[in-house]
Every structure is written in C-alpha cells, then in structure tokens.
Amino acid sequence: MAKKIVKQKAVKKDDNIFNYVIDAFVFLTLCLFPLFVTDRYHNILRSKYYFYIGSVVLLSIALAIAGILNPSKIESYFSNFHRRGFLKKFSVTDWALITFLIIAALSTILSDYVYESFWGNEGRYSGLFLLCLYGAAYFGVTRFGKFRRWYLDAFLVFSMLVCLFGISDYFLMDLLKFKVSMVEAEKFMFTSTIGNINTYTALLGMIVAVTAILYGTEKEKKRIRFYYVCMIIGFFAIITGISDNAYLSLAALFGLAPLYLFKDKCGIRRYLVIIATFFSVIQCIDWINISMTGRVLEIDSVFRIIVNYSGLLYIVIGLWLVTALAYLLEYKTKKNKAISDYKESIGGKVRIIWLIIIFIIICIGVFLLLDVNVNGNAERYGVISKYLLLNDDWGTHRGYIWRNAMESFQAFSPFKKLFGFGPDTFGIVLLNKTKDNVYRELFDNAHNEYLHYLITVGILGLAAYLTFLVSFVVRCIRTGRNNPCVIAAMMAVVCYSTQAFVNLNLPIATPVMWLMLTLGVLGCSDNGQVKDVGNRR
C-alpha cells in the first residue's frame, strides 16, 4: 500500500512539472505575445514572429528536460504504442494536422524555391518552418497539458490592454507613440500593439467570441460582471478598428452562438443582452463621432451603414425592452411556480427555428450576389452594392488578387495543383503576372487564407487543412458541448476562420488561433475537464 501511495505521488509530481511548462507557454502566447513590440510598427511582424519562435523552442526544450528528469509520464504514454492501438492514439484532427504538415513538407521539397518555401521570407514568414512550430505546439500541449480555466481569463485580462490601446488610437491619442514617424495618410491603418487594422480585428474577433460565450454561460456573479465588461470593451474595440473583416467575425458569432446558447432560457436571455449591448455600443460610438468630430478617426467600414441608419436608437431601445421583458417573465414565472417545478432547459425547437433563419439569410445573401453579379442589378442596393459587386476593386483590390491567383492556379501543372507552389510563395507566383498593375501594389498574399493555401500547398494541402478545422469543430460539439470553455475556444477559431476568407495568415493573430484550437482539443480530452461550469443563474 505504501509503495502504491509513493508511486501515485511521483506521478502527480511528474504531471505538475509538465503542467507548469504548458502553463508558461500558454501565458507567453495568449497574454504576452499580443503585447510584445520592439520598435513600434517598423518591425512588428518580425518581432512577433521571433517571439513565437522563442516560445515554441522554450516549450520544446522544457518538455524535453521535464521528460528526462521525470520520465514516468512519457513512459506511460508510449507504453501503449503497440500496432493495434497506434491508430487509436490519434484523433481525426491529429491525423489531419499530420497530413497537412507532410503535404506542406513535400510541397517545400518539390518547390522551385525550397529556401523561400521553408522560411516564408518572400511572404509573411508563414513557410514550412512556422507551420511546423504550430504543429509542435499543438502536440506538445495536447499530449502533456491539462486545461485550466484561468487560461481564458488571463487571455481576456491582457487582451483588454490591446483593446484599450486600440480604442485610444481611435481617439487620436497615440498613447504608445507608435505613429510619431508615420506618414499621415497611413496612420489610421495601424493600431494598438498588433499593427494593421485587419490583423487587429482578426484578433479582436477571437476576443469577442470568448467573452460572449463565457458571459452567456457563466453562473458566478463576479465572473458574469467581468465577462460583460470585457465584452463591452471588445465591442468598442472591434467597431473602432474600422476594418470590414470584423463584420464577418461578428456575423459568425451572432449567427452561430445561439445554436449553443439557446439550449436553455438563460442562454436566450443572455443572448438578448449581448445583441442589445452590441447595438448600444454602436449608438454610443455614433454619439461620440458627432460630439467629437475631428478628434476621432470616425467609422469607415460596414458599420457606417448601421451608424447612418436613422432608426438606430429605436432599435437599441426596442432590444433593451425585449430583454427586460424576458427577465421580467422569468421573475414572474419563478415567483408563481415552486422552485422544484421551475425548469430553465428547453427543447431543441428554438435552435431548429434559428437554423431555419440562418438558412433563409444565406439564401437571401446568395440571391443578392447573383442579382448583382449575374443580372447586373447593383443599382438596386444603394450603399451595400459595393460589398456585393465582385470585381477587381472589391475589398480593396482583393477581387483583382483573387482573379489573378485563380488564373495562375489554372496554369499550374496537375502535380502543382495537388501540392502547390510551396508554402508562402504566393508573391513569387503572382510577381510577373501582376507587375506594373494599375494599383501599383505588390501582392505577396492572397488576402484569403484558403485561396492562399490552394496556391501554396495545393488541393491536397487545403483539403487537409479544412479537414483539420472541421474535425476540430465536430469534436468540440460532440465531446466538449458541456464545457463552455471548450465552446468559447471553438467559437474563437470559427470567428477567425470566417474572417480568414478576406484576411491574411500572419504570425501576429494566427498563433493565437492555433493555440485556441489546441486548447479546445485539450479541453475535450479526459484530462482536460474544467470544473465550476454547472448551472447558470
């Protein structure tokens, strides 16, 4: 008996050492990485790239040392690696990632530009080397970590600094003095400690997703207040980020969150609060713009359409009245019924109705796109026509980039169509085709993550990456649906993946997405259960 107790203590000690290593890596990536800057915006991409390299290298070295000093955990893990059980050791998500990395490696080896494919130095440093770092971090954390609730809380605390710096930039304060030496016409394009506003709002989409899901599911009053305050700040930051890609993240959040939150009446009430708060923030920003004209950047994105709507204030008032009515009905129902008879849970009918609504909205969107682009009826839709008309000028010349990218892909050999031109060699592919273009710009990225992967790692690489993402979402829904932290991490990945249709894959926001995905997988595992996620009030 005594020997068994000593052995259990030794195993626990081993677990603690590995957990501390994972804790440190998560803290570095989720909390310090977004804030890390060395020379303002002049080398922000390179600075964060090297910071992430250092974090993964430290993780690998620390895990190796922990394994040498305390080998029992590694021995117990590999002791089950027999032929019959080998495949069961890896999930579909694991295999999809392994396949993706193998295809990326083959694409690099067979590329005409091996050096550039490996390092990504002719693009945005997203070559094979960085992809391997993502993979190493994924397997290191999922194999030796334990999900902790404070991961997401700490992420939000430090992310509020990113948000507040960004909001201060909207008020032309430049608290960090990052824009002192910048050209006046480009100052609005960079903000906070992230840099380009598109990358900034990509990160904010994940922040807002985490806050909304945790607020919508939390039971403890102090945490509810904390998440609500973070959500308000997040909404202010993402709207004042003045980037159009933000609306894709928000559309994914507002459209898909109810499929999880509407499992009970509390979730419906919280969702009403979330929506009412969002429109209230837009109204507040509108008032700020009016009262501080010339002292703020002003909205210059799709949110302008909402701000310019004359009935916005009535929408805000109406939403809060509906929300108040929902809480009043809950109070009266509880008062009139015995506590034992009161039920918060509801059937699946509400979520089915919401799915039908989503389907109808998608159908309307498809109809609008066809009517504008096929039937040529752009004039019918006024200010929104510029978002519907897909030509070369669409999305700050994204239409031009995508058209030339697809024409280049069609000219690929069958082999290159399968394996691509090499990771992050998009700029090399389009260099000659787009030289002397009317926009006088250099295109080294597709501004569409999926199209970028299609060109660089081919059909097989893109298929593996999509399988990786989809299998992760399916796994979270199946095994992590009772854990709000898992769903919060999953929703962060979904919001990032949605805006990725019009955005860049950069080692600034993308490492955070990969870690959110990793934590979601970790939370789904047996050793990743998070406590205190019970009934809500």
Side-chain angles (χ1 to χ4, degrees):
M1 177 68 73
K3 187 181 290 186
K4 186 176 182 180
I5 293 174
V6 171
K7 187 175 181 180
Q8 288 177 345
K9 287 183 177 179
V11 172
K12 187 176 181 180
K13 182 180 178 182
D14 292 348
D15 287 344
N16 285 338
I17 293 173
F18 283 96
N19 289 336
Y20 292 150
V21 172
I22 301 302
D23 290 349
F25 174 74
V26 172
F27 182 78
L28 283 172
T29 306
L30 286 187
C31 302
L32 299 187
F33 172 76
L35 292 168
F36 182 76
V37 180
T38 57
D39 186 18
R40 294 177 285 188
Y41 297 128
H42 299 305
N43 65 344
I44 193 166
L45 176 61
R46 185 176 298 180
S47 295
K48 290 188 182 293
Y49 173 63
Y50 286 135
F51 184 95
Y52 185 70
I53 291 175
S55 299
V56 178
V57 170
L58 286 175
L59 169 68
S60 303
I61 294 174
L63 286 176
I65 294 174
I68 293 171
L69 296 177
N70 301 282
S72 60
K73 185 176 180 68
I74 295 179
E75 289 175 357
S76 64
Y77 178 75
F78 284 100
S79 62
N80 295 324
F81 267 87
H82 48 81
R83 291 184 179 179
R84 293 182 180 179
F86 180 76
L87 295 178
K88 295 181 181 179
K89 273 286 182 181
F90 295 91
S91 65
V92 174
T93 307
D94 297 340
W95 280 117
L97 176 55
I98 292 171
T99 303
F100 174 68
L101 293 177
I102 291 174
I103 292 171
L106 289 173
S107 178
T108 299
I109 295 170
L110 300 172
S111 174
D112 298 331
Y113 300 90
V114 177
Y115 182 88
E116 291 79 3
S117 296
F118 183 81
W119 294 110
N121 58 301
E122 289 295 323
R124 307 295 179 99
Y125 299 113
S126 296
L128 176 64
F129 179 67
L130 182 62
L131 296 179
C132 289
L133 291 182
Y134 291 148
Y138 172 87
F139 285 108
V141 172
T142 56
R143 267 48 187 179
F144 302 106
K146 178 177 285 188
F147 193 101
R148 301 180 189 278
R149 178 64 179 264
W150 68 260
Y151 288 166
L152 297 184
D153 290 345
F155 168 65
L156 293 180
V157 170
F158 282 84
S159 293
M160 290 304 102
L161 295 175
V162 176
C163 293
L164 291 172
F165 285 137
I167 293 171
S168 70
D169 284 341
Y170 183 77
F171 285 89
L172 305 177
M173 300 170 70
D174 193 18
L175 295 178
L176 300 175
K177 305 302 178 185
F178 280 8
K179 303 183 181 183
V180 174
S181 59
M182 291 184 65
V183 178
E184 193 66 31
E186 295 182 353
K187 287 185 177 180
F188 80 96
M189 297 172 59
F190 296 86
T191 189
S192 190
T193 58
I194 302 302
N196 188 277
I197 56 175
N198 292 323
T199 310
Y200 171 69
T201 50
L203 176 64
L204 291 181
M206 293 186 279
I207 294 170
V208 168
V210 172
T211 59
I213 296 299
L214 293 183
Y215 166 75
T217 55
E218 184 52 54
K219 64 172 185 175
E220 186 181 331
K221 288 184 178 180
K222 289 183 178 179
R223 286 182 179 271
I224 292 173
R225 298 189 192 102
F226 167 67
Y227 294 136
Y228 186 68
V229 170
C230 289
M231 185 172 65
I232 293 175
I233 295 174
F235 281 153
F236 262 101
I238 198 168
I239 295 169
T240 56
I242 59 175
S243 172
D244 280 330
N245 73 336
Y247 73 84
L248 289 177
S249 294
L250 292 171
L253 174 63
F254 294 149
L256 299 178
L259 299 178
Y260 178 69
L261 296 180
F262 284 9
K263 63 184 178 181
D264 55 38
K265 298 174 185 176
C266 178
I268 296 176
R269 292 192 296 270
R270 296 277 182 88
Y271 182 75
L272 289 173
V273 173
I274 292 170
I275 294 295
T277 301
F278 174 71
F279 281 95
S280 298
V281 168
I282 295 180
Q283 180 63 78
C284 288
I285 293 174
D286 183 33
W287 287 334
I288 290 171
N289 290 342
I290 294 172
S291 62
M292 299 184 67
T293 302
R295 289 177 288 170
V296 295
L297 288 175
E298 298 187 1
I299 301 293
D300 186 24
S301 63
V302 72
F303 297 113
R304 180 187 288 274
I305 298 174
I306 303 175
V307 168
N308 290 340
Y309 179 60
S310 58
L312 177 60
L313 181 59
Y314 298 108
I315 292 176
V316 172
I317 294 172
L319 286 171
W320 281 116
L321 287 175
V322 171
T323 303
L325 179 61
Y327 276 92
L328 181 62
L329 289 174
E330 177 217 8
Y331 173 76
K332 286 189 174 182
T333 304
K334 280 186 176 181
K335 188 176 180 180
N336 296 333
K337 284 187 177 183
I339 298 297
S340 59
D341 294 335
Y342 181 76
K343 291 183 179 181
E344 275 282 358
S345 60
I346 55 179
K349 293 183 179 180
V350 177
R351 284 185 279 184
I352 292 175
I353 293 172
W354 190 260
L355 273 174
I356 294 173
I357 293 173
I358 292 175
F359 177 75
I360 293 173
I361 292 173
I362 292 174
C363 289
I364 292 173
V366 171
F367 170 78
L368 293 177
L369 287 172
L370 292 175
D371 194 38
V372 169
N373 294 281
V374 178
N375 299 330
N377 294 321
E379 69 282 352
R380 289 182 180 178
Y381 305 101
V383 293
I384 69 169
S385 62
K386 69 175 184 177
Y387 297 102
L388 299 173
L389 183 59
L390 304 178
N391 54 20
D392 281 359
D393 293 327
W394 186 88
T396 319
H397 317 149
R398 280 170 172 77
Y400 176 79
I401 302 171
W402 296 352
R403 178 176 63 78
N404 281 277
M406 287 308 301
E407 289 175 0
S408 298
F409 180 77
Q410 290 172 0
F412 280 1
S413 66
F415 183 83
K416 284 198 178 295
K417 284 181 179 178
L418 289 176
F419 291 95
F421 206 77
D424 213 12
T425 57
F426 185 89
I428 299 174
V429 174
L430 261 67
L431 182 61
N432 291 327
K433 187 172 178 58
T434 60
K435 67 179 180 180
D436 300 325
N437 62 83
V438 295
Y439 305 110
R440 297 187 179 280
E441 295 177 3
L442 180 66
F443 305 112
D444 61 354
N445 194 288
H447 292 266
N448 179 321
E449 193 166 316
Y450 308 104
L451 178 58
H452 190 87
Y453 277 137
L454 177 66
I455 299 296
T456 57
V457 291
I459 296 172
L460 296 180
L462 176 61
Y465 181 71
L466 292 175
T467 303
F468 177 58
L469 293 179
V470 172
S471 64
F472 162 73
V473 172
V474 171
R475 183 175 183 182
C476 288
I477 294 172
R478 285 183 175 178
T479 62
R481 60 181 178 273
N482 294 324
N483 186 336
C485 292
V486 170
I487 301 301
M490 182 202 78
M491 190 57 67
V493 175
V494 169
C495 287
Y496 174 91
S497 301
T498 303
Q499 62 82 40
F501 278 100
V502 296
N503 212 354
L504 292 72
N505 179 336
L506 294 177
I508 295 180
T510 306
V512 176
M513 184 280 288
W514 275 83
L515 186 53
M516 281 293 175
L517 189 150
T518 300
L519 293 179
V521 172
L522 183 62
C524 290
S525 63
D526 292 336
N527 67 337
Q529 298 303 312
V530 181
K531 297 179 180 180
D532 74 337
V533 290
N535 296 326
R536 294 169 282 163
R537 285 194 287 269

